[in-house]
Amino acid sequence: MASLEKKWHVVQLDGENAKIWLPDVYDGIGSAVGITEITPEQAADITNSMGVSEGLKDGQLVRLRLTVRDATTGRSKSARVLCSVTEVRTAISRLPGLTYRGNAVRSAGVPRRRRLG
């Protein structure tokens, strides 16, 4: 599988924003999960930054499981995306119907099992 291009994104936390380096997959779902892409110039203006593991460990980010319908084959696939902890309640209900990497999101939820590695 080809690796995705990473870009700067901003995560909306409790009253402040933090920049984070993420794969470029949040175009269609960014507003629902509280993560939006920013330019390198905008990233230079934001002093607060975090890593993915740091955000998950501190409880500021949560992983969500998406079930998407593949546009070419029609089969269901699953994906895991990050979500700001302040947006989790609304994100789960807002994500179905949006597009993730060109595919329609069918459902969203919190993963039942922890994925190691």
Side-chain angles (χ1 to χ4, degrees), residues 23-38:
D24 189 22
V25 296
Y26 292 91
D27 291 338
I29 61 171
S31 61
V33 296
I35 298 174
T36 53
E37 182 183 336
I38 56 173

Side-chain angles (χ1 to χ4, degrees), residues 97-116:
L98 298 179
T99 58
Y100 172 77
R101 296 181 69 188
N103 301 315
V105 177
R106 297 180 69 194
S107 66
V110 178
R112 293 182 186 189
R113 290 182 277 151
R114 184 168 180 194
R115 185 175 167 184
L116 302 175

Side-chain angles (χ1 to χ4, degrees), residues 31-48:
S31 61
V33 296
I35 298 174
T36 53
E37 182 183 336
I38 56 173
T39 63
E41 293 80 21
Q42 292 171 324
D45 295 338
I46 300 173
T47 58
N48 189 13

Side-chain angles (χ1 to χ4, degrees), residues 57-73:
K57 191 185 309 180
D58 292 343
Q60 296 176 338
L61 295 174
V62 176
R63 286 198 196 273
L64 292 182
R65 175 201 37 82
L66 301 180
T67 303
V68 296
R69 174 153 305 208
D70 191 341
T72 57
T73 63

Side-chain angles (χ1 to χ4, degrees), residues 60-99:
Q60 296 176 338
L61 295 174
V62 176
R63 286 198 196 273
L64 292 182
R65 175 201 37 82
L66 301 180
T67 303
V68 296
R69 174 153 305 208
D70 191 341
T72 57
T73 63
R75 294 183 180 203
S76 292
K77 294 184 175 184
S78 64
R80 280 152 185 79
V81 296
L82 294 173
C83 180
S84 172
V85 74
T86 58
E87 299 291 327
V88 172
R89 283 186 169 176
T90 58
I92 291 174
S93 62
R94 287 178 56 198
L95 281 167
L98 298 179
T99 58

